[in-house]
Amino acid sequence: MSVLPGRLQRKVQLAISAIVVIPMLVAGWLAAEWVSTNFEKRIEVWIVDAARANQNWLEAYQNDAVMLGRVLADDPSYVPGITLYPDIAMPSPVSRIAQGMGLTLLQVYNPDGKLLYSSIPLRVQTTWETGQTGAVLKVVRKNQSMLAAVGITPVPPKGKPQYYLVVGSLLGQDFANELTQLTGMKTRLYYREGRDYYDVFSNPAQPMTLKHLTKDMARRLEAERKPYYSAYAEDGEYRGVYTPIVDSTGRVEAIMFSGLERRTFTDLLTNRAALFFWIALLGIVIGGLTGLLLTRLVLKPIEYLRNGVMQLAGRNFNATVPIHSNDELGDLAKAFNAMAARLRAARNEERQRHQRDKLAAMGELSAALAHEIRNPIGVISTSAAMLEKPGLDPAKKAELTRMLREESTRVARLVQDFLHLSRHRQPNFDVIDPALPMERALGANIAGNDAVTVHKDFRHDGVRILGDAGLLQQAWSNIFANAVQAMSDVPQPELRVTTLCKGNEVQLAVEDNGPGVSPDIMPRLFEPFFTTKEHGTGLGLTIAYTLAEANGGRLEALPPKRSGARFVMRFPVYEGEAE
Ligand code: ADP
C-alpha cells in the first residue's frame, strides 16, 4: 500500500485503540477475574466432594470390618485361633463374605494383647487400646508399610473379654488405585509417627514426609479434625484435600490426601495474569485485524480521493479516482470524477478564451503602436520630402533636420519601450529585501540631482520577499523617472519613500511633491501608450505595472498623503527559510 494519509491513519489507530483495545483490556481483565475465581471455586468444590467420597469409601471399609467383627463375635466358633476350635480355618461362607467386603485381615488377640492368630502374616506397628472399636493401624507386610482399617471387637461381646477380634482390610497401593479410579484423583495415605506423617507407599527406608504441614493446616486437621483444602498441595503439584482419618477414640491416625494434578490448561484458567494476557492479546489482535480491514475499506478509497484532490490542486485535470464500491465513498469518487471532468472542460474553455483575449490584446496593442508610430513617420516622410525640394533656405532646412532627428528618436524610444514591454522575461526569483531594488533605482535616478531632498522611512522590519531584484529595480526606475520629471518645475523637490508591513504584506510607497495626477486621468495611468507628455511614450507605468505583477506584487496609484503623486507597490511577505 502506498503512503496513507499519515495523520488520518494515526487518528483511526487512536480511535480503534479507544473503541477496541481499551474496552478489550477492561473486558479481558474482568473475564480473567471472573473465569479464574469461578474456575478455582468450582475445582475446589469438586475436589472437596471427591475427597469426601474417598473418605466415605474408607469409612465403609471400617464399618464393614466392625460389622463383620460383631457377627463373628456373636458366634466365635467360626473364628480360627479361638481355643474352642484351634485348628479350624475360617469356614468358607464367612471367608467369602469377608472377601466380598474386601476384608482380608482377621486377627485374634488374648486380653493381654498377645497375637494368637493372623490370617495374613504381618506386623502391626501401632497399638490399639482396650475399648477401642475402630482403628487405622500401621502394618508392615513383606517389608512394605501400609495401613489397615480395622474394627476391634471383644469376645464375648458382653462380660469380661477373653479374646479380641481384629477384622479389617489393608489399605495398600491397590486401595489407592481403587480410589483413583473411583474419583479420578491421586490418593496418598500418610500415617502418623510422633508429630510427623509419612507416606505409606514410599520406600520404607526413606519414607516421604508430609511436607508443608503449616500451623494452620495442622490446627485444622488435628485439632478440628476437618479436611483441609490447598490449591498448592504436595509441593505445589496438586490442588487437593487433606482428610484426617480418626479412630474411634478420636485420635488422628492418618491423613488421606486426594488431589488433582495442576496442569497447564487449568493453571491458565485460574492464573489471572496469564488469562488476562491471553484475552487481551486476542482482543488486541482482533482490534488490529479490524483496523486493517477498516484501512482497506475506508482509508484506501480516501487515499485515492486525496491523491485525486492533490493532483487537481497541482493542476492535473486529468486526475481520476477508481470507483471500488457502491457506497458513499463510491458516490464520492463518482462525484470527484465528474467534478474533474467539468474542471477539465472549464480549463479548456478558459485556455481558448485566454488565447482569444491574447490575440485581441495583441491586435489592440499593434493598432495602438501603429497609431503611435504613424504620426512621427508622417512627420519624418513630409520633412524628408520637403528637404528634397531645391532652394530651401538654411534655417528651414535646419528646422526640418531637427524635426527628422527628434521624430526618429521618438520612434526609436517607442520601439525600445515596446520591446521592453513585450519581451517576456521570466523573473529570476530570490529571497530579497524588498527595499533593495527601490533604493538602487532611487540612487540611479537622482544621481547628480542635488536639488531633490529624499525622506526615507523604512518600517518593514527586515522582512523578505521572493522577487527578481533587477526587474523590480527597472519598475521603480520608471516610477522615479516620472517623479523627477513631474518635479522639474518645483522649487524644492521632495521625495518620500516609505515601507511598512501590514499583515503578511509589505507595502513600499513613493510620493513626490510635483503637480500630482488629476482624478480624471487616474484610471488610465497604466494603459499602454497613455501619456500627457509631449515626448512621452506612455509605456513607463505599463512596464512598471507588468514587472510588479510578474514578481508577485501589485502596483497602484493612490491619492497622495501631502501633495503630488503617490505610487504604492505591495508584495506578500516570504515566510520560508532565508536562503
Ligand atoms: P510617460 O512617462 O511616457 O508619459 P508613463 O506611463 O510613465 O508614460 O506615464 C503615464 C502618465 O502618467 C504620464 O504621462 C503622466 O501624465 C502620469 N504620471 C506618471 N507619473 C507621474 C507623476 N509622478 N506625477 C504626475 N503625473 C504622473
Side-chain angles (χ1 to χ4, degrees), residues 60 88-89 123 129 156 162 179 260 345 352 362-363 403 486 517:
I88 303 174
R123 252 179 318 121
E129 279 153 33
Q162 292 175 15
L179 291 189
L260 200 66
Q352 283 165 4
M362 252 174 71
M403 278 171 70
V517 184

Side-chain angles (χ1 to χ4, degrees), residues 290-522:
T290 315
L292 270 179
L293 197 76
L294 215 73
T295 307
R296 281 208 72 77
L297 283 179
V298 179
L299 288 192
K300 191 124 193 196
I302 290 182
E303 188 207 349
Y304 285 138
L305 273 171
R306 175 178 173 265
N307 282 347
V309 171
M310 297 299 264
Q311 284 190 40
L312 267 193
R315 307 190 71 76
N316 175 10
F317 296 102
N318 292 325
T320 52
V321 171
I323 301 163
H324 280 310
S325 54
N326 200 12
D327 51 17
E328 284 83 348
L329 284 169
D331 291 348
L332 215 59
K334 279 183 213 155
F336 175 87
N337 288 344
M339 182 182 77
R342 277 200 299 278
L343 277 172
R344 232 176 359 253
R347 194 259 326 247
N348 290 343
E349 206 174 296
E350 154 91 23
R351 269 191 185 161
Q352 283 165 4
R353 206 180 54 231
H354 184 68
Q355 196 65 17
R356 276 200 305 274
D357 288 355
K358 224 159 91 178
L359 283 174
M362 252 174 71
E364 269 174 35
L365 211 62
S366 313
L369 184 68
H371 177 76
E372 290 300 313
I373 290 177
R374 200 172 54 193
N375 285 349
I377 298 274
V379 175
I380 289 169
S381 67
T382 323
S383 307
M386 284 172 78
L387 272 173
E388 278 173 359
K389 281 191 184 158
L392 212 61
D393 79 280
K396 185 74 182 166
K397 205 170 168 183
E399 161 83 20
L400 285 171
T401 314
R402 184 188 57 79
M403 278 171 70
L404 254 180
R405 203 179 301 119
E406 263 183 23
E407 290 306 307
S408 45
T409 311
R410 187 168 140 72
V411 172
R413 206 169 54 233
L414 251 171
V415 169
Q416 195 193 359
D417 278 0
F418 187 75
L419 277 178
H420 239 131
L421 182 67
S422 57
R423 201 170 48 209
H424 207 74
R425 212 187 106 188
Q426 273 308 106
N428 239 342
F429 284 112
D430 258 330
V431 179
I432 54 165
D433 177 355
L436 180 84
M438 181 165 80
E439 285 200 283
R440 281 190 187 156
L442 176 66
N445 274 279
I446 60 165
N449 189 348
D450 296 338
V452 181
T453 315
V454 179
H455 302 279
K456 280 189 197 174
D457 184 10
F458 285 178
R459 296 183 185 192
H460 62 288
D461 295 334
V463 300
R464 295 282 181 265
I465 62 164
L466 263 189
D468 182 325
L471 293 184
L472 287 175
Q473 182 179 340
Q474 192 189 328
W476 283 115
S477 200
N478 292 358
I479 292 165
F480 286 125
N482 281 343
V484 171
Q485 273 178 28
M487 298 187 298
S488 58
D489 292 336
V490 176
Q492 277 178 340
E494 276 179 31
L495 268 179
R496 281 170 206 282
V497 282
T498 53
T499 69
L500 65 93
C501 277
K502 233 182 192 173
N504 58 350
E505 194 178 70
V506 55
Q507 297 182 359
L508 304 106
V510 172
E511 188 171 324
D512 59 46
N513 63 347
V517 184
S518 69
D520 52 321
I521 65 163
M522 196 74 121

Side-chain angles (χ1 to χ4, degrees), residues 29 66 135 170 173 187 189 211 224 226 279 308 323-324 335 383 428 446 451 549:
W29 183 71
V66 172
L170 292 177
Q173 189 68 56
T187 306
L189 283 169
K211 290 171 205 150
E224 294 176 18
K226 285 197 176 132
I279 293 177
I323 301 163
H324 280 310
S383 307
N428 239 342
I446 60 165
E549 272 212 326

Side-chain angles (χ1 to χ4, degrees), residues 482-483 486 512 516-517 521 525 530-533 536-541 565 567:
N482 281 343
D512 59 46
V517 184
I521 65 163
L525 284 190
F530 173 78
T531 181
T532 56
K533 299 171 193 167
T537 61
L539 289 173
L541 284 184
F567 289 90

